[in-house]
């Protein structure tokens, strides 16, 4: 057994109406990668927020021992001064500032009177090379992709002399290539003696990098598995997380009854809203039928979200050209309100930024897209709004003591259910789901898959955009493959394999994006 770097003893943390952590114990050895896994709402992020000082000493019970010393952190600066650095799921970077400015924001190089810019950019460049980035630290954050922004966050942590690096869902916004590169970087840091805690719902990543795995369920630690002493696979981890074996990740759809075309897009082209000469969607054609799940898969930057948003009342892009048919009729939807009236719903991939109002309760969020459904002559009927919210909470099995709970206090999976409820309350015929299970655990994913199956069973049409190939293959009746703004292939469920889909993308890239 190696030297214990961190020990958290008997940690208990309570929020109004909820015990988030109940007598949790957690040990991390020096120089290991320790995975912390559990369903949404299990308490993983809360435990790390206690450790990092986001929840200060005095707001929880228990003890934190780090490097043999009892710590009582009051702020995140206190923990960072000890070399404990947390990288959150939502990147904390300022798009309009340079990489170097972001890396030392709040940790500036210089003296009280002035920032030493030569030192700032010189040090930033050094740390960027350490994480494998060749960009100049003078480049603006907005001009680099999400994968590189994640590496900037890691370089920023290294610049704070991190000894214990905590990564919360580090690959949730990355494609498979960038995810693999980040995991390999973690393994390289481990060789250099760094200790890391990783929180992720991607269990294949846990198996790939972790030395130990601690499972948290319902706010309590269930078990810690040593990956060097026992055979660990994804099914074994799932059993620990949910307390039972899940034999099928994707629920079977019974009595499949695919009907007539419900939405059709012809010759659809969208230009970038700022760089208007650039096509982000290039002459796309597709359709979705009643009772059908159509998947759209592509690598990061393929144009999937841009396509979805442009269909949803032209909420993205400029110079949008093409023809849209809904229910067999040609329509020109000029804004999201007209799209909602045409019975189209768009469930955004960015639930926290664009999908929900985190500071408002579940009750308010549920009715946001259909205020007419809870009002009379322009006046909201609070009782009806409450009743509707409770109905959807029960229908979707949202875990919350009350619909008056602020959405920001819910776990990611339960926030996703509120977002689905918001759009289901509009009674759409066509649902466009953009990354509907991003950042949520295997149990919550299964529940959302069941909701999707119920929707198509009722004759709705679902377009599902996902970066997870097994999910697209497991849930779709047909799959369109997108690359560089174009649709480069179409497959039915029977012929869709990960190898066939990736081969389609690679072939289209090598031939300039044409089918």
């Amino acid at each position: 057994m190696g030297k214990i770097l961190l020990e958290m003893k008997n940690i208990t943390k309570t929020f109004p109406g909820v015990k988030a952590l109940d007598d949790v114990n957690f040990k991390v050895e020096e120089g290991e990668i320790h995975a912390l896994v559990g369903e949404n709402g299990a308490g993983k992020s809360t435990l790390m927020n206690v450790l990092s000082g986001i929840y200060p000493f005095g707001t929880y019970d228990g003890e934190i021992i780090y490097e043999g010393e009892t710590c009582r952190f009051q702020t995140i600066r206190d923990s960072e001064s000890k070399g404990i650095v947390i990288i959150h799921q939502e990147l904390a970077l300022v798009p309009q500032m340079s990489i170097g400015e972001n890396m030392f924001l709040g940790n500036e190089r210089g003296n009280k009177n002035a920032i030493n810019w030569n030192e700032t950019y010189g040090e930033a460049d050094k740390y960027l090379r350490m994480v494998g980035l060749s960009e100049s630290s003078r480049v603006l954050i907005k001009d680099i992709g999400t994968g590189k922004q994640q590496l900037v966050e890691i370089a920023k942590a290294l610049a704070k002399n991190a000894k214990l690096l905590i990564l919360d869902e580090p690959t949730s916004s990355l494609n498979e290539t960038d995810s693999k590169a980040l995991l390999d970087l973690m393994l390289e840091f481990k060789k250099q003696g760094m200790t890391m805690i990783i929180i992720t719902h991607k269990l294949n990543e846990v198996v790939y990098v972790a030395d130990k795995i601690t499972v948290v369920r319902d706010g309590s630690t269930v078990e810690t598995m040593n990956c060097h002493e026992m055979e660990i696979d994804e099914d074994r981890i799932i059993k620990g997380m949910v307390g039972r074996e899940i034999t099928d990740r994707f629920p079977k759809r019974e009595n499949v009854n695919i009907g007539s075309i419900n939405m059709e897009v012809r010759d659809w082209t969208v230009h970038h809203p700022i760089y208007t000469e650039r096509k982000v969607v290039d002459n796309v054609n597709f359709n979705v039928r009643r009772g059908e799940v159509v998947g759209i898969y592509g690598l990061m930057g393929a144009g999937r979200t841009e396509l979805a948003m442009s269909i949803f009342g032209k909420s993205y892009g400029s110079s949008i050209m093409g023809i849209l048919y809904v229910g067999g009729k040609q329509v020109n939807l000029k804004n999201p309100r007209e799209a909602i009236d045409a019975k189209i719903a768009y469930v955004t991939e960015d639930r926290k930024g664009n999908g929900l109002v985190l500071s408002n309760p579940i009750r308010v969020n549920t009715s946001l897209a259909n205020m007419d459904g809870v009002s009379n002559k322009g006046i909201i009927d609070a009782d009806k709004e409450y009743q509707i919210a409770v109905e959807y909470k029960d229908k979707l099995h949202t875990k919350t003591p009350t619909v008056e709970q602020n959405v920001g206090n819910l776990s990611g999976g339960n926030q996703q259910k509120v977002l689905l409820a918001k759009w289901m309350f509009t009674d759409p015929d066509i649902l466009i789901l953009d990354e509907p299970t991003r950042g949520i655990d295997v149990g919550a994913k299964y529940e959302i898959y069941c909701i999707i199956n119920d929707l198509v069973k009722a004759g709705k049409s679902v377009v599902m955009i996902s970066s997870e190939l097994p999910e697209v293959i497991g849930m779709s009746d047909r799959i369109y493959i997108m690359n560089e703004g174009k649709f480069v292939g179409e497959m039915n469920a029977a012929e869709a394999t990960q190898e066939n889909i990736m081969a389609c993308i690679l072939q289209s890239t090598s031939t300039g994006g044409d089918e």
Side-chain angles (χ1 to χ4, degrees):
M1 184 173 171
K3 180 184 174 185
I4 299 296
L5 178 69
L6 167 73
E7 186 171 5
M8 301 182 77
K9 291 183 174 180
N10 311 116
I11 303 294
T12 298
K13 171 68 178 170
T14 303
F15 295 103
V18 180
K19 186 176 271 191
L21 298 173
D22 187 4
D23 202 36
V24 168
N25 293 282
F26 181 56
K27 287 183 185 179
V28 178
E29 288 183 21
E30 212 168 59
E32 73 177 4
I33 298 177
H34 200 124
L36 193 59
V37 302
E39 295 187 271
N40 285 101
K44 309 178 299 294
S45 295
T46 303
L47 185 65
M48 292 301 98
N49 287 340
V50 165
L51 171 60
S52 60
I54 292 172
Y55 298 140
F57 177 75
T59 66
Y60 62 88
D61 295 322
E63 192 177 12
I64 297 171
I65 302 168
Y66 178 72
E67 293 188 313
E69 177 187 332
T70 298
C71 298
R72 297 177 172 180
F73 301 133
Q74 290 296 324
T75 67
I76 197 165
R77 279 182 178 273
D78 293 343
S79 62
E80 287 183 350
S81 70
K82 297 283 188 182
I84 301 171
V85 182
I86 185 167
I87 300 173
H88 293 281
Q89 183 176 352
E90 286 80 24
L91 300 180
L93 300 171
V94 183
Q96 304 300 333
M97 294 175 72
S98 69
I99 293 172
E101 287 173 305
N102 271 278
M103 281 180 59
F104 294 104
L105 193 60
N107 186 27
E108 285 79 6
R109 296 299 186 257
N111 54 44
K112 291 180 181 178
N113 301 317
I115 293 172
N116 184 329
W117 290 111
N118 287 333
E119 184 182 350
T120 297
Y121 288 119
E123 278 202 50
D125 285 331
K126 178 182 77 174
Y127 287 112
L128 290 178
R129 302 303 164 262
M130 288 173 68
V131 299
L133 277 178
S134 58
E135 272 75 9
S136 164
S137 60
R138 296 173 188 270
V139 170
L140 298 184
I141 287 292
K142 71 178 181 64
D143 294 330
I144 62 173
T146 308
K148 291 182 177 180
Q149 288 180 23
Q150 188 73 61
L151 293 177
V152 170
E153 282 280 23
I154 294 174
K156 182 178 174 181
L158 296 179
K160 294 174 180 175
N161 300 314
K163 294 179 187 175
L164 174 60
L165 185 60
I166 304 162
L167 301 105
D168 191 351
E169 297 288 354
T171 64
S172 65
S173 299
L174 305 185
N175 62 37
E176 290 184 22
T177 304
D178 287 342
S179 295
K180 174 72 161 51
L182 178 55
L183 297 173
D184 287 336
L185 182 64
M186 289 176 63
L187 292 171
E188 185 58 39
F189 285 157
K190 187 181 87 164
K191 287 180 187 174
Q192 297 167 20
M194 183 176 282
T195 308
M196 284 161 281
I197 298 170
I198 180 173
I199 300 172
T200 180
H201 292 304
K202 296 182 179 179
L203 301 184
N204 60 316
E205 297 179 354
V206 172
V207 173
Y208 185 68
V209 299
D211 298 296
K212 288 200 188 75
I213 303 165
T214 292
V215 179
V216 183
R217 187 164 74 232
D218 297 328
S220 300
T221 34
V222 175
E223 61 179 331
T224 295
M225 297 175 270
N226 189 323
C227 301
H228 304 295
E229 295 177 355
M230 56 192 294
E231 191 74 28
I232 305 290
D233 59 16
E234 292 181 43
D235 290 337
R236 173 68 183 82
I237 300 169
I238 290 167
K239 186 177 179 182
M241 286 169 58
V242 301
R244 65 188 191 282
E245 290 186 18
I246 293 182
T247 53
D248 195 344
R249 300 272 188 97
F250 305 100
K252 292 285 186 288
R253 202 151 63 241
E254 298 174 0
N255 304 320
V256 177
N257 184 20
I258 296 174
S260 59
I261 291 174
N262 202 7
M263 183 177 77
E264 184 174 7
V265 174
R266 291 186 190 171
D267 306 321
W268 199 260
T269 297
V270 181
H271 290 76
H272 193 281
I274 298 171
Y275 308 107
T276 52
E277 72 287 349
R278 188 174 130 222
K279 290 180 184 177
V280 289
V281 178
D282 189 1
N283 198 40
V284 159
N285 293 273
F286 80 99
N287 63 64
V288 58
R289 295 173 178 273
R290 295 183 185 279
E292 182 182 39
V293 178
V294 165
I296 299 179
Y297 180 80
L299 301 180
M300 191 73 67
R304 299 163 303 161
T305 293
E306 293 83 352
L307 169 64
M309 291 180 68
S310 65
I311 291 169
F312 185 65
K314 300 182 178 176
S315 50
Y316 174 91
S318 63
S319 304
I320 298 170
M321 295 171 285
I323 303 171
L324 176 64
Y325 294 91
V326 176
K329 295 179 182 177
Q330 185 175 335
V331 293
N332 179 23
L333 308 176
K334 297 184 284 295
N335 53 58
R337 179 74 262 165
E338 291 188 3
I340 293 168
D341 291 342
K343 296 290 188 180
I344 299 175
Y346 170 63
V347 179
T348 175
E349 64 176 337
D350 182 11
R351 60 177 173 260
K352 292 189 176 181
N354 296 329
L356 298 165
V357 183
L358 299 184
S359 58
N360 280 3
I362 297 166
R363 169 180 54 79
V364 172
N365 276 276
T366 303
S367 61
L368 272 178
N370 183 16
M371 300 300 289
D372 290 344
V374 293
S375 60
N376 183 18
K377 297 179 180 177
I379 299 172
I380 293 174
D381 182 336
D383 290 339
K384 188 170 185 182
E385 189 178 52
Y386 181 88
Q387 178 189 336
I388 293 291
V390 169
E391 182 184 318
Y392 278 99
K393 175 184 85 74
D394 295 342
K395 186 183 292 185
L396 304 186
H397 308 294
T398 309
K399 291 179 185 173
T400 176
T402 169
V403 294
E404 296 300 338
Q405 178 83 277
N406 279 358
V407 171
N409 294 334
L410 301 178
S411 67
N414 287 308
Q415 287 179 357
Q416 193 68 24
K417 289 179 183 179
V418 175
L419 182 59
L420 276 170
K422 165 186 162 182
W423 287 109
M424 286 169 67
F425 183 46
T426 66
D427 192 27
D429 287 334
I430 301 150
L431 283 95
I432 304 172
L433 307 178
D434 196 350
E435 303 287 3
T437 66
R438 171 174 287 170
I440 64 176
D441 66 79
V442 65
K445 281 184 178 183
Y446 191 89
E447 290 181 333
I448 286 172
Y449 298 149
C450 289
I451 293 165
I452 292 170
N453 285 353
D454 288 344
L455 289 167
V456 292
K457 188 177 179 181
K460 311 288 187 185
S461 304
V462 172
V463 177
M464 188 173 76
I465 297 167
S466 176
S467 298
E468 294 189 31
L469 257 180
E471 178 173 84
V472 175
I473 293 168
M475 286 300 296
S476 303
D477 298 298
R478 281 186 301 132
I479 299 167
Y480 289 98
I481 299 104
M482 194 171 191
N483 189 35
E484 296 173 350
K486 297 182 178 182
F487 275 9
V488 295
E490 179 186 350
M491 297 178 189
N492 60 38
E495 61 186 334
T497 65
Q498 295 197 38
E499 292 76 17
N500 287 347
I501 290 171
M502 290 309 299
C504 188
I505 291 173
L506 293 171
Q507 185 180 6
S508 70
T509 300
S510 63
T511 56
D514 292 320
E515 201 169 347

